[in-house]
Amino acid sequence: MNNLAILCVDDETIILDSFTEQLRRNLGKTCEIEAAQSGKEALELIEELQGEGLEIALVVSDQIMPGMKGDELLRKIHDLYPKTLKIMLTGEADAQALGKAVNEANLYRYIAKPWDETDLILTVKEALRSYSQEQQLAEQNQELKKLNVQLEQLNASLEQKVVDRTLELQKAALAAEVANKAKSVFLANMSHELRSPLNSILGFAQLLMRSSTLDPKDKDNVEIISRSGEHLLTLINNVLDLSKIEAGRTVLNEINFDLRQLLEDLEQMFRLKAEDKGLQLVFDLPVDLPQYVRTDEVKLRQCLINLLNNAIKFTSEGGVSVRVRKQKATTAELGNSQQEISYLGDRKVPETIDLPAKRICAACLFLEFEIEDTGAGIPAVEIDTIFEAFTQIKSQNKYQEGTGLGLAITRSFIQLMGGEIAVKSEVGNGTIFSFDVAVSSVDAAEVETKQQMRREIGLEANQPRYRILIVDDKWDNRQLLIRLLSSLNFELKEASNGTEAVDIWEVWQPHLIWMDVRMPVMDGCEATRKIRFQESQKQGEFAIDRTAIIAITASTFEEERSLILEAGCDDFVRKPFRDKIIFEKMAEFIGVRYIYEEEPLQLAAAVSAEPVSEFSLSQDLSTMPQEWIEEMYEAAQSIDNEKILQLISQIPPARDSLGQTLKDWASIFRCDRIIDLIESAN
Ligand code: ADP
């Protein structure tokens, strides 16, 4: 605090001197005592003292003075220095002046003349104390205000930080969402781009394998192409499966199937692999294992393949055992989600394997699978991580082929099938993976049997010549369907985009369209919508047959499925497709009836009732132009049924028996006989 001063004001020198003398004597040590004889002088002195760094704590002023009166002086001082305390010293009780001073100058006290020294000193001391307190309070207040301002600033900056951080998070969330979308689009595109060429590889390989002219060595090579294609497809599917699982798009596709057959197929599939490594492979199936069950066969098969692959991969001596057991939940216990588990076979589940809480389903049946190997084992510290994607055990570097995705996918699939997977392993001794899945037992009649899997080799007689339009922007893909369908004597046309498809549909009215979904110019959905619209318009004018439209898509995303159906397609088939599904869909949607292999009676009926002699065929052939014969020879060698049929259509009616015989041979894939006929005639 600055040095304090007290200013005394009185026009009477004697009074002023005595007054200041008393104050100096009592308070001279704590503050300066100054004197002025008029209001004017007082104001000047205050300014001067302030300039010297003194703080005027108190002014004691007489009221009756010439010129400026005490109350006026005090009011002026108050206006200029509101903190300074004011005391009035007066001989008369001038109530009006006092009232003014109280109201306008915030008068602190009033001292009557003549004064008592002790009273005066006490009053002035009290005034000084009050002034100091006020000052302290003001300073503290100032400090508090400063702190408050700082707090407010801090608060504002915190709020700004929160706003900034929220914005950053929102941006990050948006970026993540965009990235996620981009990932989905990328996957959809990648899936499309990879599956389309694979479709050609697998499809043409299948076609070649149907060929009767292929020599056994080439057939082996084609089989290798086919197997490698299938393997590639599995890898692509693995990556896509995982992405779909992550995006929550995986669904359960339950079907009825032959469980024993599945296990037998797997045993056959892995037997050679195991033998190659000198390992035993044991499949231990209880007698009462249900033969026909309902669950997602594809996913179950994939889980078993993943686990068996690993078991064989990580085992160098001993073997691999597969055990399947039936666990039964009794109906009585379904309500409280406990089950009586009846284990069949002589083995108990190892106690260390924690059987998870089962989801009770209407099936009332759980199958427990165990895949045990005597291989490398998994270190305890790593056992918790092996189900995570892209995890491979460090100590098994030498085996590091694979993607580290198999177990992650396996676990997700098993959970989707209502089960759980557990693992128990000991380094150097081997590993047991055990899992269970919920299934329902079904009747044999509800399952597609091998009988129904026969191969289509011709069309039954007495059917219309079906017009089929094949729409795909890729030449390879169109060729695949053309080759496949022309072998069965369908009438075919092709279009390379939606616009062409709509134009052809208008004039040609096909029975069925195989419609690729993604195409330039106009995509398959748009073309379908246009056709459906025109159909609805024409329906009013005259009766037209509705064209069946089946989409072919390489996308694995469920969204596309609803888009396809909404556009008006009757169904869709995924690429790469098996020829079986193409034939089935045509039977389902336009009622095509086939002749199957291993049906000698029907087959004979399809071939001309009266076989024509080789001699008369050679004779008829020799009447055809040489150029035609050469083209036919070439077409037969490249199994180009479309070309063969086109050439047959040029045979004059007089040589109908030649045309009919060639057609029959073509329809049962006997291009070799056409070749023999031409070669023997030359
Ligand atoms: P991948 O086999 O393609 O690398 P998985 O997800 O199927 O991927 O397996 C992850 C890892 O778990 C394997 O790389 C291997 O280190 C370990 N593993 C899986 N099964 C076995 C097994 N039966 N024995 C020993 N280690 C195994």
Side-chain angles (χ1 to χ4, degrees):
M1 198 182 287
N2 289 339
N3 287 335
L4 295 182
I6 298 173
L7 175 63
C8 307
V9 191
D10 204 310
D11 58 324
E12 288 177 56
T13 317
I14 301 174
I15 294 179
L16 187 61
D17 288 348
S18 128
F19 193 77
T20 47
E21 190 274 325
Q22 285 178 13
L23 288 180
R24 279 197 187 108
R25 194 160 12 92
N26 288 284
L27 299 164
K29 285 188 186 139
T30 46
C31 60
E32 298 277 330
I33 311 294
E34 299 290 338
Q37 285 191 300
S38 69
K40 189 168 168 280
E41 192 190 329
L43 287 173
E44 286 166 3
L45 189 60
I46 289 175
E47 209 179 316
E48 199 179 305
L49 293 172
Q50 291 264 6
E52 289 169 12
L54 279 171
E55 211 175 288
I56 316 300
L58 177 67
V59 176
V60 184
S61 172
D62 181 27
Q63 167 61 12
I64 310 292
M65 291 188 292
M68 197 186 294
K69 293 271 184 299
D71 60 340
E72 195 189 341
L73 169 69
L74 293 181
R75 187 182 51 77
K76 282 194 170 155
I77 292 173
H78 184 66
D79 287 347
L80 292 168
Y81 313 103
K83 288 190 288 181
T84 301
L85 295 180
K86 296 108 196 161
I87 292 178
M88 189 176 277
L89 190 67
T90 178
E92 299 155 33
D94 184 345
Q96 203 187 355
L98 274 175
K100 262 178 112 184
V102 168
N103 286 335
E104 294 170 14
N106 194 23
L107 191 70
Y108 177 71
R109 287 278 193 281
Y110 141 72
I111 297 173
K113 284 182 191 171
W115 66 84
D116 172 69
E117 184 180 339
T118 317
D119 275 356
L120 170 74
I121 298 305
L122 278 176
T123 304
V124 172
K125 270 188 177 168
E126 177 59 27
L128 283 176
R129 206 173 57 81
S130 168
Y131 179 84
S132 300
Q133 262 181 4
E134 282 287 319
Q135 286 315 100
Q136 265 177 9
L137 269 177
E139 272 169 25
Q140 281 171 357
N141 223 10
Q142 198 61 25
E143 199 60 30
L144 272 175
K145 266 188 187 157
K146 254 196 223 162
L147 283 174
N148 218 15
V149 169
Q150 280 176 0
L151 258 177
E152 270 171 15
Q153 282 171 348
L154 206 67
N155 214 13
S157 91
L158 261 178
E159 272 173 18
Q160 191 53 43
K161 270 188 187 150
V162 170
V163 169
D164 290 350
R165 188 50 58 89
T166 312
L167 271 176
E168 273 169 29
L169 284 174
Q170 277 172 347
K171 259 195 216 161
L174 201 71
E177 201 179 303
V178 170
N180 208 20
K181 270 218 175 103
K183 184 175 137 189
S184 295
V185 171
F186 169 74
L187 281 172
N189 288 337
M190 188 180 84
S191 144
H192 186 266
E193 292 310 316
L194 293 174
R195 279 161 183 263
S196 287
L198 255 185
N199 192 39
S200 301
I201 295 172
L202 288 174
F204 278 106
Q206 278 179 47
L207 257 182
L208 274 176
M209 285 198 287
R210 294 172 81 98
S211 159
S212 50
T213 54
L214 209 64
D215 74 40
K217 221 178 104 213
D218 287 340
K219 227 172 196 164
D220 285 350
N221 292 341
V222 174
E223 259 179 46
I224 292 170
I225 295 175
S226 187
R227 271 205 306 276
S228 307
E230 297 272 359
H231 181 59
L232 190 56
L233 185 61
T234 313
L235 287 179
I236 294 168
N237 285 343
N238 261 355
V239 174
L240 286 171
D241 275 344
L242 193 78
S243 320
K244 283 211 286 180
I245 290 169
E246 278 177 357
R249 298 179 198 228
T250 313
V251 287
L252 203 62
N253 291 316
E254 291 187 321
I255 58 159
N256 302 337
F257 65 96
D258 187 336
L259 175 67
R260 282 186 176 273
Q261 186 67 52
L262 166 74
L263 294 167
E264 265 169 38
D265 288 350
L266 289 176
E267 189 176 352
Q268 254 186 18
M269 187 171 159
F270 283 95
R271 179 149 310 286
L272 261 183
K273 236 182 170 183
E275 277 170 7
D276 279 354
K277 286 187 79 175
L279 301 174
Q280 294 174 50
L281 178 64
V282 181
F283 270 66
D284 176 8
L285 314 178
V287 275
D288 71 339
L289 187 73
Q291 179 153 10
Y292 304 111
V293 296
R294 179 177 183 79
T295 182
D296 191 324
E297 185 195 12
V298 175
K299 291 193 179 67
L300 177 61
R301 178 193 294 269
Q302 193 177 333
C303 293
L304 286 165
I305 289 177
N306 286 349
L307 295 174
L308 271 160
N309 254 330
N310 282 347
I312 292 181
K313 184 159 74 175
F314 297 108
T315 305
S316 48
E317 54 184 344
V320 174
S321 311
V322 178
R323 285 178 286 272
V324 188
R325 283 190 287 258
K326 191 174 74 168
Q327 306 173 3
K328 206 171 181 184
T330 62
T331 344
E333 282 163 333
L334 285 177
N336 57 16
S337 80
Q338 283 180 350
Q339 307 152 56
E340 174 199 297
I341 299 172
S342 60
Y343 295 111
L344 295 152
D346 52 358
R347 250 181 124 263
K348 280 256 174 245
V349 174
E351 273 162 25
T352 41
I353 292 183
D354 185 24
L355 273 180
K358 311 283 185 324
R359 270 205 275 133
I360 299 299
C361 70
C364 316
L365 187 68
F366 285 89
L367 292 179
E368 194 196 290
F369 297 81
E370 257 180 41
I371 292 86
E372 177 170 8
D373 65 60
T374 54
I378 301 163
V381 283
E382 291 184 90
I383 209 148
D384 290 337
T385 61
I386 54 164
F387 291 108
E388 285 164 19
F390 301 107
T391 303
Q392 294 183 319
I393 303 296
K394 291 186 199 83
S395 53
Q396 293 166 347
N397 272 337
K398 56 181 169 165
Y399 300 110
Q400 298 299 301
E401 54 184 52
T403 52
L405 294 179
L407 288 177
I409 293 170
T410 301
R411 181 169 65 174
S412 297
F413 281 0
I414 289 170
Q415 286 170 343
L416 199 65
M417 287 186 284
E420 257 307 341
I421 184 165
V423 59
K424 186 194 166 207
S425 186
E426 212 177 293
V427 174
N429 276 337
T431 306
I432 305 176
F433 280 95
S434 73
F435 70 92
D436 55 358
V437 290
V439 301
S440 36
S441 180
V442 292
D443 285 343
E446 297 171 83
V447 177
E448 192 184 30
T449 63
K450 280 220 154 154
Q451 262 290 299
Q452 291 162 298
M453 302 286 283
R454 298 155 306 173
R455 182 187 285 180
E456 300 75 5
I457 53 166
L459 293 180
E460 269 187 26
N462 299 326
Q463 295 188 72
R465 181 102 197 271
Y466 291 106
R467 293 181 299 281
I468 312 290
L469 174 60
I470 293 160
V471 191
D472 201 307
D473 57 320
K474 301 232 166 54
W475 182 86
D476 288 1
N477 290 346
R478 292 198 304 272
Q479 281 310 299
L480 177 58
L481 275 171
I482 286 170
R483 295 272 177 103
L484 183 69
L485 299 180
S486 60
S487 68
L488 267 70
N489 206 8
F490 290 103
E491 200 176 335
L492 302 174
K493 275 195 195 298
E494 48 184 305
S496 61
N497 61 53
T499 314
E500 275 178 39
V502 177
D503 292 347
I504 296 175
W505 171 84
E506 245 174 11
V507 291
W508 197 51
Q509 294 293 307
H511 293 92
L512 183 142
I513 302 177
W514 287 109
M515 182 77 87
D516 184 28
V517 176
R518 292 187 195 195
M519 289 180 293
V521 187
M522 184 192 288
D523 69 22
C525 286
E526 185 59 29
T528 304
R529 269 192 290 274
K530 287 218 149 65
I531 291 172
R532 292 298 181 227
F533 176 73
Q534 290 193 32
E535 274 177 349
S536 68
Q537 300 292 101
K538 287 185 179 161
Q539 211 78 49
E541 299 166 25
F542 49 85
I544 60 155
D545 285 331
R546 186 180 183 279
T547 300
I549 304 180
I550 304 178
I552 300 188
T553 170
S555 164
T556 53
F557 289 93
E558 298 299 323
E559 288 92 321
E560 194 160 289
R561 172 196 160 120
S562 40
L563 282 180
I564 289 169
L565 298 178
E566 271 163 30
C569 292
D570 297 289
D571 204 347
F572 68 94
V573 162
R574 289 202 196 289
K575 283 181 197 172
F577 51 74
R578 319 224 172 258
D579 36 10
K580 179 86 197 154
I581 189 95
I582 299 293
F583 294 134
E584 273 175 10
K585 293 287 173 200
M586 298 213 296
E588 183 181 343
F589 287 96
I590 53 174
V592 178
R593 300 188 308 278
Y594 304 99
I595 300 162
Y596 298 93
E597 73 181 346
E598 295 162 14
E599 281 183 315
L601 282 178
Q602 265 182 301
L603 189 60
V607 181
S608 336
E610 283 185 34
V612 190
S613 75
E614 291 275 328
F615 176 73
S616 78
L617 285 175
S618 295
Q619 286 238 308
D620 284 347
L621 190 67
S622 62
T623 64
M624 297 302 291
Q626 189 56 32
E627 201 183 318
W628 184 94
I629 295 174
E630 277 165 18
E631 276 186 57
M632 178 60 92
Y633 187 73
E634 243 173 62
Q637 273 195 322
S638 51
I639 331 167
D640 185 348
N641 272 23
E642 199 185 12
K643 180 79 185 165
I644 295 174
L645 291 172
Q646 186 218 321
L647 289 167
I648 290 172
S649 67
Q650 296 169 15
I651 299 175
R655 310 272 172 241
D656 190 42
S657 54
L658 172 69
Q660 196 54 52
T661 306
L662 293 180
K663 210 184 255 180
D664 290 342
W665 284 346
S667 70
I668 57 169
F669 305 102
R670 296 305 303 267
C671 291
D672 56 325
R673 295 195 66 176
I674 302 178
I675 293 167
D676 286 350
L677 176 69
I678 297 174
E679 282 177 352
S680 62
N682 276 336

